[in-house]
Amino acid sequence: MKKTTLILATALTASLASAESIMRLFNDKGQGTISGRIQSLTMYRDYEGTGNGANSTLGAVVNYTSPVFSGFDAGLGYNYAGEIYENNNSALLANDAINVLNEGWVRYNFYSLNLTNTTLLAGRKIVNGEVFRADDFRQKARSLETVMVESKDISNTRLTIGHAFRMSNWIQVGDRADFNDLNNNDGITWAEAVYSGINELELAVFDAIGWDSVNLIGTRAKYDISEETAILAYLRNESSIGSSSGHHANVLGLSITQKLGAWKLEGGYFGVYGDNLRFQETTTGINHALGASMMIYAQQFAGGADTAYLKAVTKLESTKTVLYALYNYTWQQKLWDGQELNIVIKQPVTENLTVAFKGGIGYRLDKNSIGANTTATDARLFITYAF
């Protein structure tokens, strides 16, 4: 794998400019669109009591979308990443080799029935909504093998109904980046609707059925008090169904966003009551700021966890630099109290090239062992060329 990655790196470096020129010529011919990226990701983690590890991966994503023929179009997306350097316990990074056809779909638009914004899709597709999130945090985005209908033909409403058979996760441990069966081969059927027809209010409702296992039902709301201030609310319930029994979890979240000059702040509370969440960042994803935590060191999605958090984002107009910070403090009755701080600095170099640094530090105080505490650090450097 390393030899293959080095060969790929050499070839990509040597042919980058000419390849982009060829793709631009192809895209201008109207025979479809090619896009993608080439990305280097270097990571280092040090978990006290567990050890440390480092690695570098070089990845490439190549996507193709066809023109529309008689209402049909199709898409392909190939995703590759391989290690070019590793040290110590690199498995701790969950950032191993990736070699997968991440997208491969056929879609039909129902314009013949005067439903110009309604489509039926079958195949492998990156989905980013209320139940499933893309979470393109490293070298790939989460993707589903699915049949799904999407529609915007109802006024002020975005509707999605689908069934996911298998999923390829964004994280890579063992075979998690490959397509694996969901919910013991039964898959997950889900439906979600986002409505924005009431002034200053966006309301989402969703349901996901893991057949004979667990059901998720929830809602997300955003109310704009003014142009600078908004309130966010989250309610979720997970409960056992069918022959499964014993799982029950509720989520309550309440936050506020505030614009202060060039900064946008978001802070609030997120609580899990009952069991550990099954629908969360390491599985299907979760549409909440805490889903972007780099390490989840405080176990924000564990049963009985209460979390207070603050997120801050700004863009320096003079240099186009993006600055991002996410802090959380989590307390639990039985496990531990924990904190985590993540920062991101993203700098565009050219129209296509960006460099980003992501850093995180976590601290945990174990309530079951007096005086026991651990610290963890995480650092990542991204160099990304998009085309």
Side-chain angles (χ1 to χ4, degrees):
M1 191 69 173
K2 291 181 183 179
K3 184 178 179 180
T4 303
T5 307
L6 286 170
I7 294 172
L8 177 63
T10 304
L12 289 173
T13 302
S15 60
L16 191 59
S18 60
E20 185 182 5
S21 177
I22 292 171
M23 283 183 288
R24 186 179 296 112
L25 289 173
F26 177 87
N27 291 344
D28 290 342
K29 290 182 178 296
Q31 297 177 358
T33 302
I34 296 175
S35 62
R37 74 178 181 213
I38 298 164
Q39 180 171 269
S40 167
L41 168 56
T42 300
M43 287 187 62
Y44 173 80
R45 267 185 171 176
D46 187 346
Y47 278 24
E48 186 177 355
T50 302
N52 63 74
N55 78 347
S56 292
T57 58
L58 180 69
V61 176
V62 180
N63 300 311
Y64 170 75
T65 303
S66 76
V68 178
F69 298 100
S70 301
F72 287 93
D73 66 343
L76 294 171
Y78 173 66
N79 200 304
Y80 175 91
E83 283 187 328
I84 56 178
Y85 165 80
E86 64 175 321
N87 186 39
N88 295 336
N89 185 14
S90 62
L92 182 66
L93 309 173
N95 188 46
D96 205 346
I98 296 169
N99 185 5
V100 62
L101 185 67
N102 209 34
E103 291 197 295
W105 50 267
V106 176
R107 179 171 56 192
Y108 180 71
N109 187 298
F110 289 90
Y111 65 82
S112 60
L113 301 178
N114 293 322
L115 298 173
T116 57
N117 289 304
T118 299
T119 61
L120 170 65
L121 180 145
R124 296 181 173 183
K125 187 73 172 68
I126 296 170
V127 175
N128 196 48
E130 300 299 322
V131 175
F132 294 98
R133 304 293 292 172
D135 290 345
D136 192 10
F137 293 144
R138 299 187 186 177
Q139 291 284 26
K140 74 177 296 294
R142 184 184 283 110
S143 184
L144 305 177
E145 279 190 2
T146 181
V147 175
M148 56 187 290
V149 175
E150 294 182 287
S151 180
K152 296 180 181 178
D153 281 308
I154 301 174
S155 179
N156 300 308
T157 303
R158 184 174 75 250
L159 179 67
T160 304
I161 302 173
H163 182 81
F165 301 92
R166 300 203 296 169
M167 185 181 76
S168 168
N169 215 327
W170 64 269
I171 200 170
Q172 173 60 328
V173 179
D175 66 345
R176 293 184 70 177
D178 297 331
F179 281 86
N180 294 295
D181 292 329
L182 278 167
N183 193 46
N184 297 323
N185 302 322
D186 293 323
I188 295 175
T189 301
W190 88 100
E192 57 189 53
V194 181
Y195 180 70
S196 56
I198 302 174
N199 287 342
E200 286 79 44
L201 178 66
E202 179 182 81
L203 178 66
V205 293
F206 49 91
D207 186 85
I209 304 170
W211 290 102
D212 209 34
S213 175
V214 63
N215 182 73
L216 164 71
I217 186 170
T219 183
R220 175 186 61 83
K222 178 186 176 186
Y223 179 71
D224 294 324
I225 298 175
S226 66
E227 292 184 358
E228 292 78 27
T229 308
I231 294 176
L232 307 174
Y234 304 85
L235 290 172
R236 297 166 71 100
N237 169 267
E238 294 181 4
S239 55
S240 299
I241 58 173
S243 61
S244 178
S245 63
H247 178 75
H248 187 82
N250 290 311
V251 169
L252 169 64
L254 188 62
S255 310
I256 188 167
T257 67
Q258 179 68 47
K259 294 180 181 178
L260 292 176
W263 288 88
K264 182 177 180 180
L265 305 179
E266 176 182 333
Y269 167 81
F270 183 91
V272 181
Y273 303 87
D275 298 320
N276 297 344
L277 294 183
R278 295 187 182 177
F279 290 84
Q280 40 89 354
E281 186 264 347
T282 61
T283 56
T284 59
I286 186 166
N287 190 6
H288 188 278
L290 289 176
S293 299
M294 292 173 61
M295 298 178 286
I296 323 179
Y297 198 62
Q299 295 289 311
Q300 302 95 299
F301 304 116
D306 296 287
T307 299
Y309 77 98
L310 177 64
K311 183 177 77 171
V313 184
T314 192
K315 183 177 182 180
L316 306 179
E317 291 301 327
S318 58
T319 60
K320 307 301 181 185
T321 307
V322 175
L323 302 176
Y324 171 99
L326 174 64
Y327 169 79
N328 74 270
Y329 182 92
T330 301
W331 61 98
Q332 303 181 28
Q333 291 183 352
K334 297 180 179 180
L335 296 176
W336 47 66
D337 290 345
Q339 303 179 62
E340 182 176 335
L341 173 65
N342 301 154
I343 61 170
V344 177
I345 304 171
K346 184 176 181 181
Q347 178 63 54
V349 180
T350 67
E351 183 179 354
N352 303 90
L353 180 65
T354 60
V355 177
F357 170 79
K358 296 183 179 181
I361 183 169
Y363 173 82
R364 208 155 60 188
L365 174 63
D366 192 336
K367 293 185 175 181
N368 297 316
S369 180
I370 296 175
N373 58 80
T374 57
T375 301
T377 56
D378 187 308
R380 310 174 191 181
L381 178 65
F382 294 79
I383 303 174
T384 306
Y385 187 89
F387 54 85

